[in-house]
Amino acid sequence: MGMDKLLEKIAALQNPTVAGLDPKLSYIPEHIRAASYEKYGKTLEGAADALLAYNKGLIDALCDIVPAVKPQAAYYEMYGWQGVRTLAETIAYAREKGMYVITDGKRNDIGATMTAYAAAHLGTTDVEGEEVAAFGADALTVNGYLGTDGIAPLLEVCGKGNKGIFVLVKTSNPSSGELQDRKLEDGQTVYRAMGAMCEGWGEKLPGKYGYSGVGCVVGATYPAQLEELRAALPHTFFLVPGYGAQGGGAADVAPAFDKNGLGAIVNSSRGILCAWQKEKCDGADYAGAARREAIRMRDEIVGHIGKIVLP
Amino acid sequence: MGMDKLLEKIAALQNPTVAGLDPKLSYIPEHIRAASYEKYGKTLEGAADALLAYNKGLIDALCDIVPAVKPQAAYYEMYGWQGVRTLAETIAYAREKGMYVITDGKRNDIGATMTAYAAAHLGTTDVEGEEVAAFGADALTVNGYLGTDGIAPLLEVCGKGNKGIFVLVKTSNPSSGELQDRKLEDGQTVYRAMGAMCEGWGEKLPGKYGYSGVGCVVGATYPAQLEELRAALPHTFFLVPGYGAQGGGAADVAPAFDKNGLGAIVNSSRGILCAWQKEKCDGADYAGAARREAIRMRDEIVGHIGKIVLP
């Protein structure tokens, strides 16, 4: 149930990191773009084709060492429905290769509409009696501003299909405190109240390693809050963005982990996607550069947390 | 700037309502579905084709009396990338017919990622020097939980393209209060604090009729909060869901309007989409039934607020 599959994968690979697949044309080597434009022109179709080829190369290079990928929906929507098709194809390809897929969509709505999002991203859609998976990820990031009505439909789908969600609690950006750090009448912060709601929702999706199917998002850029929330939310697994390009380091993310080296998965997007540009290596070796950076990141983080053990 | 185009359309048609295009297969008359399945089978492709035909019929029936449509992204994503293509085609068709299009996506993220969402839904995407509109709506609903970093990229795109956003403030669902009604240390509610942020963001996008390009979402199911927020947020236009199926009536939404009959646009989705089923009329007349319900709703609301005048 819940995040068990993710935890098992993290332990098997001894790697608590996730590669963010947030592709932009400017990250993609010339030879890939040229091949796609040759087929489809310099169009959304051509761009979407280049994105897919680029992602497949990354997935091939990472799938035996990195447990999960996190495609960010915005970067696919930016390239139209053609880009969204690439999102669906990327998810399918990563799952074929055994990776756990977290669609980063930060979706939120209520009732029947949230049920539609749950069906779209984690469940199946009824087409005249046939159940079809539209996107079929393992987990989805969501925004809990609307309360339980916006989360309950997900819990049902997650319970049936062994899927998970990550709710935004304390985000990695500089302005996250404008609302999230505000103190409520009882003295607790908004992010802490949201975290407590996650623990509550998680009771519906218990996991066998102590973490429920309701995780939360806490930024690497706020290590004090990571530590506070790790203690306050013992059954809530963390998705930690903000490592690398946004400024968080391995020491910053260490408080997100428990004594077994579990409790969190740390995301890197640009660090991995643009490793070839940072290394200044040939674009033909972009996937190799991504793998080298993924290994460096893994070793750096595992160096801080030690061996990962399933309890 | 801002919402001016929407306000002008509302005044021209004397109709402060928006038709929510949240299509599900079960709302679509048999003859439309059969024609699509004949072409594409009972597949996501077939479903998406039926959705598009259904939407076009509705748009044709509503475009001379209803100023705007609000497609809800979840119902398109549920039918895969094929459904998302129908979203893009629905937006294009409604705009061709002169309607103002609000994509209800409740998108939220930070920095470069929010810039990607802004480009996707309101702006254009750079494909090797060509600027291409991926979805091209007039306005987008967004979630402000992440603070200014998640809103600033939208303001830039809105400023350039004369577009708008609607930020979730007090949503229509029963559990919206779990977070939104919590009181902060200074005694104001979370929703009020979010509303104040909208007024602040709106200063960057002033409109010529007093309302900025930053609107907010306040549910018809909370008339007291509508009244409170109308007084507190004089430059913030309201998108009001929750009329009809969710229980809000014309008297409930009246406090959302100012003395000129401006200040809000009221959404109905299922009420209009399923009017033919409620009327028990022939499916061939589904668009006529939608038009009759749209006129009834318009007349009911305008009966409460009087003539709409641009100041």
Side-chain angles (χ1 to χ4, degrees):
Chain A
M1 279 282 279
M3 305 278 173
D4 294 346
K5 189 175 144 194
L6 176 61
L7 272 67
E8 287 162 6
K9 190 93 194 160
I10 288 171
L13 298 181
Q14 290 291 305
N15 186 356
T17 72
V18 47
L21 296 179
D22 307 7
K24 293 177 73 168
L25 285 178
S26 57
Y27 303 165
I28 302 182
E30 169 63 21
H31 71 282
I32 293 178
R33 285 182 287 137
S36 294
Y37 299 148
E38 171 100 19
K39 277 187 276 182
Y40 301 108
K42 291 181 179 175
T43 59
L44 293 178
E45 186 82 24
D49 188 69
L51 260 51
L52 182 60
Y54 173 70
N55 283 349
K56 285 185 170 175
L58 291 169
I59 290 165
D60 288 341
L62 299 173
C63 64
D64 63 326
I65 52 166
V66 177
V69 288
K70 180 175 76 61
Q72 163 56 255
Y75 290 96
Y76 301 87
E77 293 178 20
M78 186 166 70
Y79 296 102
W81 62 264
Q82 298 91 337
V84 175
R85 185 177 59 200
T86 285
L87 172 63
E89 291 172 341
T90 296
I91 292 168
Y93 191 77
R95 295 191 79 209
E96 259 173 59
K97 296 284 170 176
M99 301 186 91
Y100 189 90
V101 179
I102 303 166
T103 295
D104 195 353
K106 299 185 175 61
R107 296 300 193 252
N108 61 109
D109 217 292
I110 59 171
T113 304
M114 201 65 217
T115 300
Y117 275 134
H121 294 287
L122 299 174
T124 56
T125 299
D126 180 336
V127 180
E128 309 292 341
E130 285 284 316
E131 291 295 324
V132 188
F135 290 95
D138 295 294
L140 178 68
T141 62
V142 301
N143 185 317
Y145 186 74
L146 296 92
T148 299
D149 300 327
I151 301 296
L154 292 155
L155 301 181
E156 197 168 319
V157 170
C158 288
K160 274 185 208 159
N162 202 17
K163 305 286 178 100
I165 57 171
F166 290 95
V167 182
L168 299 186
V169 168
K170 172 65 184 166
T171 56
S172 60
N173 54 308
S175 77
S176 70
E178 286 174 13
L179 182 72
Q180 298 162 27
D181 290 358
R182 298 286 292 265
K183 283 207 171 155
L184 297 167
E185 267 185 334
D186 62 4
Q188 75 175 325
T189 53
V190 166
Y191 71 77
R192 181 72 178 267
M194 185 63 81
M197 289 162 77
C198 292
E199 277 278 306
W201 293 322
E203 288 171 13
K204 292 249 166 70
L205 297 173
K208 60 179 164 180
Y209 307 112
Y211 289 103
S212 82
V214 179
C216 74
V217 176
V218 190
T221 44
Y222 296 104
Q225 283 77 2
L226 270 173
E227 187 170 3
E228 172 200 348
L229 291 166
R230 179 69 292 141
L233 311 176
H235 308 99
T236 305
F237 201 79
F238 294 171
L239 170 62
V240 182
Y243 173 92
Q246 286 181 55
D252 296 319
V253 302
F257 294 88
D258 67 19
K259 64 179 176 10
N260 296 314
L262 284 170
I265 189 162
V266 180
N267 180 74
S268 171
S269 300
R270 274 168 289 170
I272 290 175
L273 298 175
C274 305
W276 70 278
Q277 292 169 328
K278 199 175 163 201
E279 267 192 16
K280 300 191 191 341
C281 74
D282 191 287
D285 191 30
Y286 80 100
R291 185 179 172 93
R292 289 187 287 279
E293 169 58 17
I295 290 172
R296 190 206 61 73
M297 179 191 180
R298 175 196 69 191
D299 293 348
E300 190 192 35
I301 292 174
V302 173
H304 275 79
I305 64 171
K307 191 168 160 57
I308 301 167
V309 184
L310 291 177
Chain B
M1 279 284 279
M3 306 275 173
D4 294 347
K5 189 175 146 193
L6 176 61
L7 272 67
E8 286 162 6
K9 190 93 194 162
I10 288 171
L13 297 181
Q14 290 291 304
N15 186 355
T17 72
V18 48
L21 296 179
D22 307 6
K24 293 176 73 167
L25 285 178
S26 58
Y27 303 165
I28 303 182
E30 169 62 23
H31 71 282
I32 293 178
R33 284 182 287 137
S36 294
Y37 299 147
E38 171 99 19
K39 277 187 276 183
Y40 302 108
K42 290 181 180 174
T43 59
L44 293 177
E45 186 83 25
D49 188 69
L51 261 51
L52 182 61
Y54 173 70
N55 282 349
K56 284 184 171 179
L58 291 169
I59 291 165
D60 288 342
L62 299 173
C63 64
D64 64 325
I65 52 165
V66 176
V69 288
K70 180 176 75 63
Q72 164 55 256
Y75 291 96
Y76 301 87
E77 294 179 19
M78 185 167 69
Y79 297 102
W81 62 263
Q82 298 92 337
V84 176
R85 184 176 59 199
T86 285
L87 172 62
E89 290 170 343
T90 297
I91 293 168
Y93 191 77
R95 294 192 80 208
E96 257 173 61
K97 296 283 172 176
M99 300 186 92
Y100 189 90
V101 179
I102 303 166
T103 296
D104 195 354
K106 299 185 175 63
R107 296 299 194 252
N108 61 111
D109 217 292
I110 58 170
T113 304
M114 201 64 218
T115 300
Y117 275 133
H121 294 287
L122 300 174
T124 55
T125 299
D126 180 335
V127 180
E128 310 292 341
E130 284 286 314
E131 291 296 324
V132 188
F135 291 94
D138 295 295
L140 177 69
T141 63
V142 300
N143 185 316
Y145 185 74
L146 296 93
T148 299
D149 299 326
I151 301 296
L154 291 154
L155 301 180
E156 196 169 321
V157 170
C158 289
K160 275 186 207 157
N162 202 18
K163 306 285 177 97
I165 57 172
F166 290 96
V167 182
L168 299 185
V169 168
K170 172 66 183 165
T171 57
S172 60
N173 54 309
S175 76
S176 71
E178 286 174 11
L179 182 72
Q180 298 161 27
D181 290 359
R182 297 287 291 268
K183 284 208 171 153
L184 297 168
E185 267 186 333
D186 63 4
Q188 74 175 326
T189 53
V190 167
Y191 71 77
R192 181 72 177 267
M194 185 64 81
M197 286 161 78
C198 292
E199 276 279 306
W201 292 323
E203 288 171 13
K204 291 249 166 69
L205 296 173
K208 60 181 166 181
Y209 308 113
Y211 289 103
S212 81
V214 178
C216 72
V217 176
V218 190
T221 45
Y222 296 104
Q225 283 77 4
L226 270 172
E227 188 170 2
E228 172 200 349
L229 291 167
R230 180 70 289 143
L233 312 177
H235 308 99
T236 304
F237 201 79
F238 294 172
L239 170 62
V240 182
Y243 173 92
Q246 286 182 52
D252 296 319
V253 302
F257 293 88
D258 66 21
K259 63 179 178 6
N260 295 313
L262 285 170
I265 189 160
V266 180
N267 181 73
S268 171
S269 300
R270 273 168 290 170
I272 291 175
L273 298 175
C274 304
W276 71 277
Q277 292 170 328
K278 200 175 164 201
E279 268 192 16
K280 299 190 192 340
C281 74
D282 190 288
D285 191 29
Y286 81 99
R291 184 180 174 92
R292 290 188 287 280
E293 169 58 17
I295 289 173
R296 191 206 60 72
M297 178 190 180
R298 175 196 69 190
D299 293 348
E300 192 193 32
I301 291 173
V302 172
H304 274 79
I305 63 170
K307 191 168 160 57
I308 300 166
V309 185
L310 291 177

